[in-house]
């Protein structure tokens, strides 16, 4: 008998076909939302699951899934999974590192350029039929070329973002919990600075750190007050790394000039304050969403699940024992 697995959200057909060669698959192709109770009920008799970042895996859920051996996240970030609880329950947890770095880095630049040059605000004005003449001082923005880019987190995605900055002839500074090795600093042409220095010097601050209790509200009121009033803040990492209430206040009061955001606290229920602001570019957590990359992510999660339940050695194991 094939092991039973659950795929919690809609995935590509060929990924399901691949999984079906190894498993008795229960899938959710209609993409119906699953609350905690539905997820637990559907997982109760399964040995494995392919999940997304909206599915919360914690000790309570695991206690209801005695047969579960593997949880494979279709995401590189895994703050939705309690890794320690998985370890205690003997459940392997995996993620999808590497395959989305370039695409997420590209999208970060979409946010940088759209925010700096006020693209969505200008488009809304044009669509509303308000454009009656060319004006010298219309939608004056921030120059990206030769500006100073400040990167929080020079991991895989932060490095991609830094390398893209070379084309804009920017000065790149970064801060991280640990200084990168010199090869990475050289390839990224990035100089390590303190958190305070980054905030006060950067024209564009972009965040590429994982969410954890240590990075909760890494950027809050105090941090925004250190930034230049002309600076913009970009977040394509995780909601909760930025204090959204403080950000809305900073955007309203002119503490900073703008923000480009792909992620939010309590997403998808973003703070309605954002919707009333003109100086913010908003996206629904799509930084990794190119067709090719989302396919690679789903296939890598599937490969992790197959390896976990056949060999016990998935390539992207997060909690080796
Ligand atoms: C997307 O947000 C991911 O973590 O892969």
């Amino acid at each position: 008998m094939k092991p039973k697995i659950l795929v919690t959200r809609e995935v590509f057909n060929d990924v399901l076909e691949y999984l079906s060669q190894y498993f008795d698959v229960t899938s959710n192709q209609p993409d119906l939302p699953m609350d905690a109770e539905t997820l637990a009920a559907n997982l109760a008799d399964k040995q494995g699951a392919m999940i997304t970042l909206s599915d919360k895996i914690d000790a309570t859920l695991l206690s209801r899934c005695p047969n579960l051996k593997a949880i494979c996240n279709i995401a590189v970030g895994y703050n939705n999974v309690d890794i320690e609880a998985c370890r205690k329950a003997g459940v392997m947890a995996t993620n999808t590192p590497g395959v989305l770095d370039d695409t997420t880095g590209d999208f970060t630049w979409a946010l940088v350029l759209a925010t700096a040059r006020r693209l969505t605000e200008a488009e809304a004005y044009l669509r509303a039929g308000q454009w009656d003449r060319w004006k010298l001082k219309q939608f004056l923005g921030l120059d990206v070329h030769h500006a100073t880019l400040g990167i929080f987190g020079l991991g895989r995605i932060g490095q991609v973002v830094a390398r893209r900055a070379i084309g804009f002839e920017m000065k790149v500074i970064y801060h991280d919990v640990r200084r990168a090795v010199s090869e990475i600093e050289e390839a990224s042409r990035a100089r390590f600075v303190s958190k305070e220095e980054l905030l006060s010097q950067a024209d564009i601050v972009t965040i590429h750190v994982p969410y954890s209790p240590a990075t909760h509200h890494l950027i809050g009121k105090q941090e925004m007050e250190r930034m230049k009033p002309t600076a913009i803040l970009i977040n394509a990492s995780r909601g909760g790394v930025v204090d959204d209430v403080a950000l809305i206040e900073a955007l309203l009061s002119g503490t900073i000039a703008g923000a480009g955001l792909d992620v939010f606290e309590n997403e998808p229920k973003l703070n309605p304050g954002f919707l009333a602001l003109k100086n913010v570019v908003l996206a629904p957590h799509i930084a990794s969403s190119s067709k090719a990359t989302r396919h690679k992510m789903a296939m890598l999660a599937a490969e992790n699940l197959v390896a976990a339940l056949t060999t016990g050695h998935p390539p992207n194991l997060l909690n080796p024992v």
Side-chain angles (χ1 to χ4, degrees):
M1 226 168 52
K2 288 176 177 173
K4 289 183 178 176
I5 66 143
L6 174 70
V7 180
T8 63
R9 299 296 299 274
E10 183 183 10
V11 293
F12 303 94
N13 286 338
D14 63 328
V15 175
L16 278 187
E17 280 158 24
Y18 168 68
L19 288 168
S20 305
Q21 293 171 33
Y22 299 88
F23 307 124
D24 175 355
V25 181
T26 302
S27 63
N28 179 13
Q29 288 302 79
D31 213 38
L32 303 171
M34 276 199 208
D35 60 18
E37 180 50 42
T38 318
L39 182 62
N42 275 289
L43 260 187
D45 63 340
K46 306 294 186 298
Q47 274 137 286
M50 222 165 89
I51 62 162
T52 68
L53 48 84
S54 338
D55 303 311
K56 193 164 180 240
I57 306 296
D58 57 16
T60 313
L61 177 126
L62 292 169
S63 69
R64 295 179 60 183
C65 309
N67 302 327
L68 200 61
K69 291 277 167 296
I71 285 285
C72 301
N73 215 23
I74 313 175
V76 64
Y78 51 88
N79 53 297
N80 55 315
V81 180
D82 183 336
I83 298 295
E84 183 53 20
C86 284
R87 197 190 55 74
K88 281 194 188 138
V91 173
M92 290 172 265
T94 67
N95 67 340
T96 59
V99 292
L100 50 81
D101 303 343
D102 280 308
T103 301
T104 304
D106 288 352
F107 192 81
T108 302
W109 280 98
L111 287 177
V112 169
L113 290 166
T115 309
R117 300 302 303 276
R118 304 172 61 184
L119 188 60
T120 54
E121 184 187 352
E123 186 183 356
Y125 165 89
L126 184 147
R127 282 180 187 271
Q130 291 176 289
W131 189 28
D132 59 351
R133 62 195 190 282
W134 187 89
K135 292 182 200 169
L136 185 70
K137 290 167 71 177
Q138 201 159 39
F139 294 107
L140 299 175
L142 170 77
D143 270 331
V144 170
H145 65 84
H146 298 99
T148 297
L149 178 69
I151 302 178
F152 274 105
L154 199 65
R156 284 182 307 260
I157 297 171
Q159 288 170 45
V160 168
V161 172
R163 292 199 301 271
R164 305 274 192 274
I166 296 168
F168 287 99
E169 301 177 60
M170 299 174 86
K171 178 174 160 190
V172 181
I173 54 180
Y174 80 98
H175 183 74
D176 210 327
V177 277
R178 248 171 283 111
R179 187 171 170 174
V181 296
S182 57
E183 289 77 11
I184 290 179
E185 287 191 347
E186 278 160 29
S188 310
R189 302 207 201 162
R191 185 168 65 84
F192 182 77
V193 293
S194 67
K195 178 178 173 181
E196 290 69 29
E197 213 177 325
L198 186 151
L199 290 165
S200 61
Q201 287 186 12
D203 299 302
I204 298 159
V205 173
T206 184
I207 306 169
H208 302 285
V209 299
Y211 178 80
S212 73
T215 59
H216 180 74
H217 289 184
L218 173 75
I219 307 294
K221 185 173 188 292
Q222 264 189 350
E223 286 73 20
M224 291 173 216
E225 280 169 358
R226 281 186 187 271
M227 288 171 65
K228 298 178 185 176
T230 49
I232 61 172
L233 177 69
I234 306 297
N235 188 11
S237 63
R238 271 293 181 277
V241 175
V242 173
D243 178 344
D244 283 356
V245 171
L247 176 56
I248 290 167
E249 179 50 38
L251 290 167
L252 269 174
S253 62
T255 305
I256 65 171
L261 307 170
D262 187 45
V263 289
F264 304 88
E265 293 191 275
N266 310 314
E267 64 184 50
K269 289 191 178 64
L270 71 165
N271 188 318
F274 282 123
L275 301 177
L277 289 168
K278 288 191 173 164
N279 52 348
V280 64
V281 173
L282 306 169
H285 205 146
I286 55 166
S288 64
S289 192
S290 71
K291 206 168 171 183
T293 292
R294 285 281 166 93
H295 185 268
K296 280 185 204 163
M297 290 165 68
M299 200 46 113
L300 183 54
E303 285 162 5
N304 272 309
L305 189 48
V306 170
L309 297 186
T310 55
T311 67
H313 298 290
N316 305 115
L317 185 62
L318 292 164
N319 54 348
V321 279

